[in-house]
Amino acid sequence: MKRNRVQFQKGLSPGKFLQRYGSEGPCEQAVFNARWPDGFRCPECGSRRHCRIRSRKLRQCNACHRQSSLVAGTILAATQLPLTVRLLAIHLLTQGQHGVSSLELARQLGVSRNTAWKVKHKLLPVLKERDERVPPGGIVQVDDAYRGGERSGGKRGRGAAGKTPFVAAVQVTAAGQPARMRLSSGAGLRKKTLAAWAGRHLQPGTEVHSDGPACFRGVAGAGCEHVPTVTGGGQRSCADSRFVRVNTMLGNVKQSLAGTCHSFDGKHLPRYLAEFRYRFNRRYDLEALVPRLLHASVRTPPMPYRLLTLAESCG
């Protein structure tokens, strides 16, 4: 049987990572190349003429005399951690199939759990924003799910207390293989919210396959072709070949969240969903994930701690 090229790719091993980013010098050069691929340009006036203040690791513009560090004005700013630690966090976040929890990240980086949490949650919004730019098209399987278990004596199913709804959409090829995915949490699964979701994430003309709930009819309002199928729920619906890709994806997502993170505040669910879908949509070249995320990080503005603790907007 022929091996799956994507599944059996090597990725960026710890040994390769240390060869490329094992000390501050190579890390500084990697950040510089990611931020200024065509050479330094002053963030204030745009001048290229500058000098280096090596004792403080700054670059000073010769025109306006503004001093700039490698990470100032980026999501990597406002931390005293060495660049080697920050790039190691990027490596751990992108290379594992199921991600890494804040507690495990703290052990791997040699920092406190709170520091690891802040490092991770500064990177997660970068993943989320970068992945919003490429909407899936063609044939898309859509289903809904909930994060959170049943509460004793509480309501079951849709609308139950303590559950956060989210939508999974998987683009499939003509051969039925998954190509890209979208995971989005929202305020509720209603026809109006699904119409707004489809308008943001799906291209007009997309053929959307879903099960029976009426809320999915909202995708037609975004110019999509809706193909509903009443499955009746239960195990039989999960085994339906028309939804096998999206059901498999939902199973993997739930297993990843439960096995890696165990427990987290539901307001941060969009970030954790973004972490999973970012890795899945870029699984074709695992070795490139570190430089790609570094490239995105130096183009994302800083995020202070007070914003990290706020609820993330729905995806």
Side-chain angles (χ1 to χ4, degrees), residues 41-53:
R41 184 181 292 274
C42 177
E44 184 69 24
C45 67
S47 174
R48 292 186 179 277
R49 298 175 56 247
H50 70 284
C51 59
R52 296 186 64 180
I53 306 176

Side-chain angles (χ1 to χ4, degrees), residues 75-88:
I75 199 71
L76 300 176
T79 176
Q80 300 300 317
L81 293 175
L83 286 177
T84 51
V85 174
R86 282 176 274 185
L87 264 68
L88 179 57

Side-chain angles (χ1 to χ4, degrees), residues 85-103:
V85 174
R86 282 176 274 185
L87 264 68
L88 179 57
I90 291 177
H91 175 261
L92 295 172
L93 195 65
T94 57
Q95 295 301 302
Q97 182 179 1
H98 298 293
V100 58
S101 67
S102 298
L103 189 58

Side-chain angles (χ1 to χ4, degrees), residues 61 105 217 268 309 311:
C61 176
L105 189 63
R217 300 173 188 170
H268 298 309
T309 58

Side-chain angles (χ1 to χ4, degrees), residues 127-172:
L127 307 183
K128 181 176 182 296
E129 293 303 321
R130 295 296 289 186
D131 219 39
E132 295 299 326
R133 301 182 180 182
V134 186
I139 299 176
V140 175
Q141 298 176 4
V142 179
D143 201 358
D144 63 308
Y146 291 82
R147 182 261 173 185
E150 179 183 352
R151 293 186 176 180
S152 178
K155 179 183 176 182
R156 300 176 60 186
R158 287 181 170 85
K163 291 189 176 183
T164 305
F166 63 95
V167 176
V170 178
Q171 178 190 24
V172 296

Side-chain angles (χ1 to χ4, degrees), residues 191-208 216-226:
K191 186 176 180 179
K192 182 177 180 180
T193 58
L194 265 296
W197 171 84
R200 289 194 305 270
H201 299 305
L202 301 180
Q203 296 177 356
T206 298
E207 185 178 319
V208 180
F216 289 115
R217 300 173 188 170
V219 301
C224 299
E225 180 184 352
H226 183 218

